[in-house]
Amino acid sequence: MASLFNCVVPVLVLTACLQETSRALPMESNKRQAEAVPPFVLTFAPKIWLQSEDPYFPSDIGAQVVHTQPEVNYNVVDGAPNPLTLDNLASLNDLGGSNVYLTSVDDITKNPSWLEGVKPDGNGKQNGATTSAVIVNDHGSGNVDAFYMYFYAYNRGNTVLGQEIGDHVGDWEHNMIRFKDGVPQAIWYSQHSYGQAFTYATVEKQGERPVGYSAKGTHAIFATTGTHDHTIPGLNLPAGPIQDYCDQGTLWDPIASAYFYKYDAASNTFTAYDGASPTNWLQYLGKWGDQQYPDSDPRQKKIFGISATAKYSSGPSGPQDKSLNRPDVCLPKDDMECFVSPFLRP
């Protein structure tokens, strides 16, 4: 009898331990986790000066979905998920693809408060909002591109002949830093339809972190403060007919309020480094704001009827459309050669 007791008791104890252990372990998540964010991606992450008179701060990415509805040709999309979230946004790809516009449910001429975003605190962090996405593309052989994506709920365009042109709901801007063996080589600053590239050694820094300047209203990112004319894409002059204005207003630290992802170019997939951040929204192919209002809309205005001078233009595409596997540090553009400047210029 003692022999039987000695055999049974250990089995019961082991079974109880296994049951307790299984309760202590979390259930397997359906979200994958990447390895840790490469330390150099954080060490050399840009800091951004927001312009002192800009009323539109970086905005929570998820809040944009809450305050908009998907439309195609100004009609609400049938069959869209309700509620729409960052975890199901890409389902709209089957309901209109790139023709889908996340359209404000509010009249934007009334300037609803959600368009204003969230002002960073004294440490550059935006409390209660995730306003950036850092996307890392490891090409192998020590070559890594880190994209720092910045989101704003609203873009206020430049003023030409007394009229604002190019206002739109939703605004994505970005820096991209190209690394070799963990050492930053060059940095891209997105500006309207193109941008500028500089060697890392050239640009202004706070410690080791490069500095960018977000233009008033348009949020184009420049390497220097002051006035920038961008009438000609890729060519910035200190004065001209279409000007952006930058200064040292509020200092923003984008990585303090960010999602972090690893991007696999071969499969065009994103993996959250923390295993929990939403990834579905990164596959969304549509626009992040209203479609350009037609001439019949009383809110729309044009200078001499010229389409390029429309007060309200269409919202932008998202990170998926920013050439995340580009050959050069510059955004690829057919008529533009990538020039990485070894000196600072407007």
Side-chain angles (χ1 to χ4, degrees):
M1 189 70 177
S3 176
L4 177 62
F5 179 84
N6 290 337
C7 292
V8 171
V9 170
V11 171
L12 293 176
V13 172
L14 177 60
T15 301
C17 290
L18 289 174
Q19 289 175 340
E20 185 65 27
T21 300
S22 67
R23 283 193 292 268
L25 293 173
M27 294 186 64
E28 183 178 354
S29 171
N30 60 359
K31 292 185 177 179
R32 296 174 299 152
Q33 182 170 341
E35 62 270 22
V37 181
F40 56 84
V41 170
L42 304 177
T43 298
F44 299 102
K47 287 187 175 184
I48 305 297
W49 281 109
L50 305 175
Q51 205 271 344
S52 59
E53 297 179 350
D54 191 348
Y56 301 106
F57 293 98
S59 305
D60 184 74
I61 300 168
Q64 195 78 357
V65 178
V66 173
H67 294 287
T68 59
Q69 61 187 14
E71 296 185 4
V72 173
N73 291 327
Y74 311 106
N75 295 310
V76 177
V77 172
D78 290 330
N82 186 15
L84 198 61
T85 70
L86 296 183
D87 285 315
N88 60 26
L89 189 63
S91 64
L92 296 176
N93 293 345
D94 295 327
L95 300 173
S98 62
N99 294 317
V100 176
Y101 290 82
L102 296 180
T103 305
S104 173
V105 296
D106 301 304
D107 181 358
I108 62 171
T109 65
K110 305 299 183 184
N111 199 35
S113 60
W114 61 272
L115 293 180
E116 298 173 358
V118 179
K119 185 175 182 178
D121 64 19
N123 296 315
K125 177 179 173 59
Q126 292 168 290
N127 297 295
T130 304
T131 57
S132 306
V134 179
I135 301 172
V136 180
N137 183 0
D138 187 343
H139 298 273
S141 301
N143 299 302
V144 174
D145 290 341
F147 293 81
Y148 304 85
M149 300 283 181
Y150 315 134
F151 184 70
Y152 301 78
Y154 193 71
N155 176 103
R156 174 176 284 174
N158 300 115
T159 299
V160 177
L161 298 179
Q163 178 181 300
E164 285 180 10
I165 63 172
D167 291 16
H168 54 80
V169 175
D171 193 17
W172 282 103
E173 303 293 345
H174 71 279
N175 286 119
M176 188 269 265
I177 299 180
R178 175 153 290 180
F179 295 91
K180 177 64 176 178
D181 297 327
V183 179
Q185 305 297 307
I187 179 169
W188 173 255
Y189 293 78
S190 71
Q191 302 156 3
H192 305 284
S193 63
Y194 195 55
Q196 292 175 292
F198 298 90
T199 61
Y200 167 79
T202 297
V203 299
E204 178 186 343
K205 303 174 190 69
Q206 289 198 353
E208 295 180 298
R209 299 179 65 176
V211 171
Y213 290 86
S214 176
K216 178 181 178 181
T218 71
H219 311 127
I221 306 294
F222 294 92
T224 59
T225 189
T227 302
H228 305 266
D229 175 75
H230 59 92
T231 305
I232 302 174
L235 179 62
N236 291 295
L237 302 173
I242 306 179
Q243 296 183 156
D244 274 326
Y245 303 95
C246 301
D247 64 21
Q248 294 186 352
T250 300
L251 186 62
W252 174 40
D253 185 357
I255 63 170
S257 307
Y259 296 124
F260 295 87
Y261 301 102
K262 180 178 180 179
Y263 176 66
D264 181 76
S267 60
N268 189 33
T269 56
F270 302 86
T271 306
Y273 279 103
D274 64 2
S277 298
T279 57
N280 179 275
W281 67 276
L282 289 161
Q283 299 289 354
Y284 171 62
L285 301 176
K287 309 302 190 295
W288 285 78
D290 298 24
Q291 185 173 0
Q292 179 171 319
Y293 301 148
D295 292 349
S296 59
D297 190 314
R299 296 174 292 184
Q300 187 62 281
K301 298 178 182 178
K302 295 179 180 178
I303 300 174
F304 305 125
I306 301 172
S307 181
T309 67
K311 176 174 174 58
Y312 294 105
S313 58
S314 293
S317 54
Q320 179 70 246
D321 192 42
K322 303 302 187 248
S323 297
L324 300 178
N325 197 39
R326 61 184 69 170
D328 299 309
V329 68
C330 304
L331 182 73
K333 196 165 184 174
D334 291 341
D335 57 345
M336 302 293 290
E337 181 177 349
C338 183
F339 174 65
V340 181
S341 179
F343 53 86
L344 276 181
R345 54 195 175 96

